Amino acid sequence: MGDILIFVLVPAVYLALLLLYLFLAPAIVALRGAALVSELLWRYCQLLNGVLRLRTPEFVSVPPYRPADELAHRNYFFGPATRDLRQLLTQGRRLYIRTVTDAYRQVTAGQFTAPSVHRAASVPYGLTLYVGLGVGAVAATPVLGTLFGVQALGVALLTAGARLTALTLRGTDRTVMILRGLPRGMLCPSCFERVPYPAYDCPRQTCRRRHADIRPGTFGLVRRRCACGERVPTLLMLMSRDARLSGHCVHEHCGKPMNPDAGHMPELILPLIGGRAAGKTQLMAAMVKSLENTAENGGPAIRLADPESTDNQRVLNEVLELQGRTRPTQKTLPRAHSFVRGSGRTEQLVHVFDTAGERFVSREETDALRYVREARTFVFVLDPMAVDAFWTRLDPAGPKVDRTLASTVDPEDVFSRSIQTIRTMDTPLDKSRLAVAITKRDLLTNQPGLLPDHPDDSDTAREWLGDRLGLRNLVKTMDLEFGEVRFFCTAAVADDEGRVDPSIATFVGWCLRG
């Protein structure tokens, strides 16, 4: 009877219970699978938070894009977003394998290796959990893949949008530059080359890293973040007047500071051509002083564009007010004497180049004056006292004229050599204008017959140069070479109150007209 109970009834009851359990097993499988899927999703969300926000060492598996010597932090959608995707893929795969493996190990330990109940009950339950884990592992794969795919698609779309935004901003900035008359960039006042976009120093005083190209792109769209953490605008049109950065020339042989206003307004390049002691520096000083006089009387505003120009003009103003003579221009390559004229949308950055007269005599010397390529208005400074015919017509009985104040270089020689050089630089002279400034009018006022009858009239001054000084060939050459030529008799002097001779105002107005 005992054997029947042990070997017949007990197995029958066990089998009956197993059959009953089979009805419950699918629910257990579904619940265990759902629990595994939930656990994987929760862990994946923690992984997302760690990779995208916390960024602690345990969530870093791919080295960062930014090398130690990189000057700025990359925009998230120009590298770091792809790096985060790679980290999520790598660590997500590891997380999936680790979570599923750990779940199987827990079932094995709890139901097979060291069960807390009889194996007759733990083994079927353990097998059911195995099936549930398998179902959960299979079901979680497309869910996690979909989440990763959605994120990858979002990153791809946002990356494309960021790059398109960068191109749009660059195109807008480029259009603004073209509208400002700067299609090839700004002129460096030191090396005379065109700079497509200056290099800018970080505004933080303790940093001063120099960023070679701040335009929208890899390191930022509207702002870039310097390695020190300082935010730097990426576009010239985003820099307010009070927050303009310190720009520098990007050419390797230069690297010198540029005008703070460079790129923010149209530029006008005005070269002064003339022989030694022809009066170029004095004329340049009188031009700026005359504009300052006009501004004081309600005319367009004027301000010097950089510290060097400010210091130079201060000295030149003192010389003008003392009615002295400026010292000869140094033979070294000049830095532009720059000022900003106008206000608001009428602002214009003017570069006046005063070059030593010796450079216009030697072809090798004039070749270095690359700024003439960009000029469309030229000033030829003509000293009538440098012409021999001037002295032959001088009345011996009249007031004496100090010959030591005359230029020692023949104007025709200076003009011909200069034009030859300018022509080799592909400057379209036939589309350019020439202002001929006949200087030292103040020295000739008391000499009857030495000045034109109507010195303020261009045609009269033209005839006077040809008939009285014998420069008819020079005048014809000027008319042939340039699209427009205008003659001015100028006196680069100021009275005791600092008012410049009126002849300068007319001359400057014509030069800045374009």
Side-chain angles (χ1 to χ4, degrees):
M1 190 64 183
D3 292 339
I4 294 174
L5 183 64
I6 295 174
F7 293 106
V8 176
L9 293 178
V10 171
V13 173
Y14 181 70
L15 290 175
L17 292 174
L18 283 179
L19 288 175
L20 182 61
Y21 177 72
L22 289 177
F23 290 100
L24 298 175
I28 297 174
V29 169
L31 290 174
R32 188 64 187 94
L36 180 61
V37 172
S38 299
E39 182 181 4
L40 285 171
L41 290 176
W42 172 249
R43 290 180 180 273
Y44 185 77
C45 290
Q46 288 182 316
L47 178 62
L48 275 175
N49 182 57
V51 171
L52 301 181
R53 190 178 71 86
L54 298 179
R55 300 187 183 278
T56 48
E58 64 268 23
F59 294 106
V60 177
S61 59
V62 180
Y65 273 90
R66 192 172 74 86
D69 59 345
E70 202 162 71
L71 296 177
H73 296 272
R74 287 175 179 256
N75 178 274
Y76 183 70
F77 295 105
F78 284 79
T82 305
R83 168 180 174 262
D84 285 346
L85 276 179
R86 291 170 57 197
Q87 292 191 129
L88 280 172
L89 182 61
T90 301
Q91 297 189 44
R93 184 172 58 248
R94 294 173 183 172
L95 174 68
Y96 176 84
I97 294 173
R98 184 172 63 249
T99 302
V100 173
T101 301
D102 289 346
Y104 271 103
R105 285 175 179 171
Q106 288 177 0
V107 172
T108 302
Q111 306 301 326
F112 296 99
T113 306
S116 59
V117 297
H118 195 276
R119 290 182 184 277
S122 67
V123 170
Y125 184 65
L127 292 175
T128 304
L129 293 180
Y130 272 171
V131 175
L133 291 176
V135 172
V138 173
T141 301
V143 176
L144 295 175
T146 301
L147 289 177
F148 182 82
V150 169
Q151 183 180 355
L153 178 62
V155 168
L157 292 176
L158 291 173
T159 298
R163 295 178 184 273
L164 181 61
T165 301
L167 290 175
T168 303
L169 290 173
R170 284 193 176 218
T172 303
D173 192 61
R174 174 69 177 162
T175 302
V176 171
M177 293 286 285
I178 293 174
L179 293 176
R180 289 173 177 168
L182 304 171
R184 296 178 52 233
M186 298 133 268
L187 182 77
C188 174
S190 298
C191 71
F192 321 134
E193 297 286 359
R194 281 291 180 184
V195 179
Y197 228 82
Y200 289 97
D201 288 345
C202 174
R204 181 172 292 182
Q205 295 297 328
T206 56
C207 177
R208 310 305 290 177
R209 287 180 175 87
R210 183 164 298 176
H211 298 261
D213 189 352
I214 66 169
R215 286 176 291 181
T218 302
F219 299 104
L221 297 179
V222 178
R223 301 269 177 181
R224 75 159 45 191
R225 188 159 59 97
C226 179
C228 70
E230 186 74 16
R231 299 282 180 174
V232 180
T234 59
L235 296 169
L236 287 169
M237 60 185 181
L238 296 178
M239 299 181 193
S240 63
R241 181 181 300 279
D242 297 329
R244 289 177 182 172
L245 302 180
S246 175
H248 293 77
C249 179
V250 296
H251 295 287
E252 294 182 0
H253 61 277
C254 182
K256 294 181 180 179
M258 298 185 64
N259 302 110
D261 297 293
H264 296 278
M265 60 192 68
E267 293 182 355
L268 175 66
I269 298 164
L270 196 63
L272 304 184
I273 303 173
R276 180 180 176 83
K280 299 187 302 300
T281 304
Q282 191 104 356
L283 179 63
M284 179 182 71
M287 290 169 64
V288 178
K289 186 64 177 176
S290 174
L291 291 173
E292 291 176 347
N293 293 158
T294 303
E296 292 171 358
N297 294 328
I302 180 176
R303 57 183 172 83
L304 279 303
D306 51 64
E308 293 85 350
S309 300
T310 302
D311 294 340
N312 291 339
Q313 187 64 34
R314 185 182 300 111
V315 174
L316 293 174
N317 284 346
E318 293 176 357
V319 174
L320 281 177
E321 292 170 5
L322 292 174
Q323 297 186 359
R325 295 291 168 182
T326 59
R327 63 178 183 177
T329 306
Q330 299 300 307
K331 193 177 179 181
T332 54
L333 283 174
R335 177 183 169 87
H337 193 66
S338 305
F339 58 87
V340 175
R341 183 171 183 258
S343 58
R345 296 193 177 189
T346 64
E347 283 186 324
Q348 183 181 43
L349 178 60
V350 182
H351 299 291
V352 183
F353 286 93
D354 172 25
T355 305
E358 298 91 322
R359 284 191 172 272
F360 293 106
V361 177
S362 170
R363 168 66 184 276
E364 291 74 16
E365 298 286 356
T366 51
D367 283 344
L369 308 180
R370 295 177 292 274
Y371 56 82
V372 298
R373 299 173 186 164
E374 312 297 335
R376 296 299 177 266
T377 301
F378 294 81
V379 175
F380 182 68
V381 183
L382 192 156
D383 180 7
M385 297 168 62
V387 182
D388 291 338
F390 172 86
W391 298 101
T392 59
R393 292 179 177 275
L394 191 65
D395 183 4
K400 299 298 181 182
V401 178
D402 189 354
R403 192 159 189 167
T404 60
L405 299 178
S407 173
T408 57
V409 185
D410 182 19
E412 291 189 86
D413 187 31
V414 174
F415 185 81
S416 62
R417 289 178 181 271
S418 302
I419 292 304
Q420 288 176 10
T421 300
I422 294 172
R423 194 184 296 114
T424 61
M425 294 182 179
D426 298 327
T427 303
L429 294 179
D430 59 329
K431 298 179 181 179
S432 301
R433 305 186 306 150
L434 176 67
V436 182
I438 304 170
T439 58
K440 304 177 182 177
R441 171 178 172 175
D442 52 305
L443 299 178
L444 310 179
T445 303
N446 297 326
Q447 285 285 350
L450 288 185
L451 281 176
D453 295 335
H454 303 283
D456 294 326
D457 180 67
S458 176
D459 293 334
T460 303
R462 179 197 298 268
E463 294 175 1
W464 177 77
L465 287 175
D467 298 339
R468 297 291 185 91
L469 297 187
L471 298 178
R472 189 174 290 102
N473 290 336
L474 175 60
V475 173
K476 288 182 178 179
T477 302
M478 291 175 176
D479 290 331
L480 290 173
E481 293 288 351
F482 288 87
E484 183 180 1
V485 182
R486 185 77 179 267
F487 296 83
F488 302 88
C489 291
T490 62
V493 293
D495 59 20
D496 296 338
E497 297 180 0
R499 293 191 297 268
V500 177
D501 189 89
S503 61
I504 300 296
T506 305
F507 163 71
V508 174
W510 189 87
C511 290
L512 301 184
R513 190 181 68 192

